[in-house]
Amino acid sequence: MMLPTTQKIANAARELLDKEGAEGVTMRRVATAVGITPMALYRHYSNRDGLLNALADAGFIELAERLDRLRLIGELDRQMMKILDVFLDYAFENPRLFELMFLAKREGARQYPNDFRERRSPTANLSADVLERGMETGYFTKDDVWEIVFETGALLQGLVMLYLDGRMAMTPAQFRAFCHRSFGRYMNGIRN
């Protein structure tokens, strides 16, 4: 079965991203990998930023689908750790894409606070729902749910990038345990 050219472009760009990071994704290199001219590539993506945005958007869809498959039962702390593990798994499997998704400046990226409060971030909504349930039941102290979601996201993204950049001398299992302890401390701080 022949893939549509747009899909071939996305696949080639993703392969370059996975190997070399965003710097390795150029219109010329993607066009060469697909077997088309750079000018033909511009019929599908107006520029490199548009192509990188499409890759990031596809990554967010993949991550949101993984989060949607989670069965969240049991203590609320444990539910938050399950969400954390999905993010960690995704970061380990797709380190360069994770960086593009969460840390690269790009047009159209969701911004705090409005996009989050309006639930435009499918990868943040599940955490917000768990926290909100915890606040409603008195398990967590009543506070601004979206501030906590954003803070824990920043904690996760910062730790992941330090780890991926080689700043933490730990195995993946040790790093995961470190993240669990860090998030545990944070959860302890907001628990009633």
Side-chain angles (χ1 to χ4, degrees):
M1 179 173 113
M2 279 296 270
L3 286 177
T5 302
T6 304
Q7 188 60 51
K8 289 180 187 176
I9 293 167
N11 291 349
R14 176 72 182 264
E15 191 172 315
L16 287 168
L17 177 72
D18 289 345
K19 286 181 184 172
E20 302 175 36
E23 312 79 46
V25 181
T26 68
M27 298 301 263
R28 183 172 302 283
R29 291 182 75 200
V30 171
T32 299
V34 175
I36 60 176
T37 66
M39 290 311 294
L41 183 59
Y42 285 98
R43 285 195 290 257
H44 300 275
Y45 296 95
S46 60
N47 56 34
R48 179 178 177 272
D49 289 342
L51 179 56
L52 290 173
N53 275 340
L55 290 174
D57 290 344
F60 277 112
I61 290 168
E62 287 175 15
L63 181 54
E65 288 171 352
R66 288 185 186 196
L67 290 166
D68 286 344
R69 290 191 295 266
L70 270 180
R71 279 196 65 226
L72 294 179
I73 55 175
E75 287 187 16
L76 296 172
D77 288 10
R78 185 70 205 124
Q79 292 178 29
M80 291 299 288
M81 292 301 177
K82 282 184 167 185
I83 295 168
L84 169 65
D85 282 333
V86 170
F87 277 87
L88 289 173
D89 290 343
Y90 198 79
F92 287 148
E93 294 165 20
N94 307 284
R96 308 256 173 134
L97 179 59
F98 190 90
E99 181 178 8
L100 176 66
M101 290 164 59
F102 289 102
L103 298 168
K105 185 174 182 174
R106 55 186 195 85
E107 190 175 318
R110 290 170 193 88
Q111 292 186 319
Y112 180 83
N114 294 344
D115 290 336
F116 287 79
R117 292 186 190 285
E118 293 170 13
R119 299 186 63 86
R120 291 188 193 139
S121 178
T123 58
N125 293 339
L126 185 59
S127 295
D129 293 343
V130 171
L131 289 166
E132 198 163 65
R133 274 195 310 275
M135 289 178 193
E136 288 169 0
T137 62
Y139 187 80
F140 293 129
T141 303
K142 287 237 184 242
D143 205 326
D144 187 313
V145 168
W146 292 105
E147 283 185 8
I148 293 171
V149 169
F150 200 71
E151 291 163 0
T152 56
L155 174 60
L156 167 68
Q157 293 157 21
L159 291 174
V160 166
M161 292 323 300
L162 288 168
Y163 179 74
L164 294 177
D165 284 344
R167 300 292 182 96
M168 300 174 79
M170 299 177 176
T171 66
Q174 290 170 328
F175 176 69
R176 184 180 302 271
F178 178 86
C179 288
H180 278 242
R181 289 191 305 276
S182 294
F183 274 74
R185 283 188 285 274
Y186 191 95
M187 292 297 114
N188 284 339
I190 65 171
R191 190 180 306 119
N192 271 328

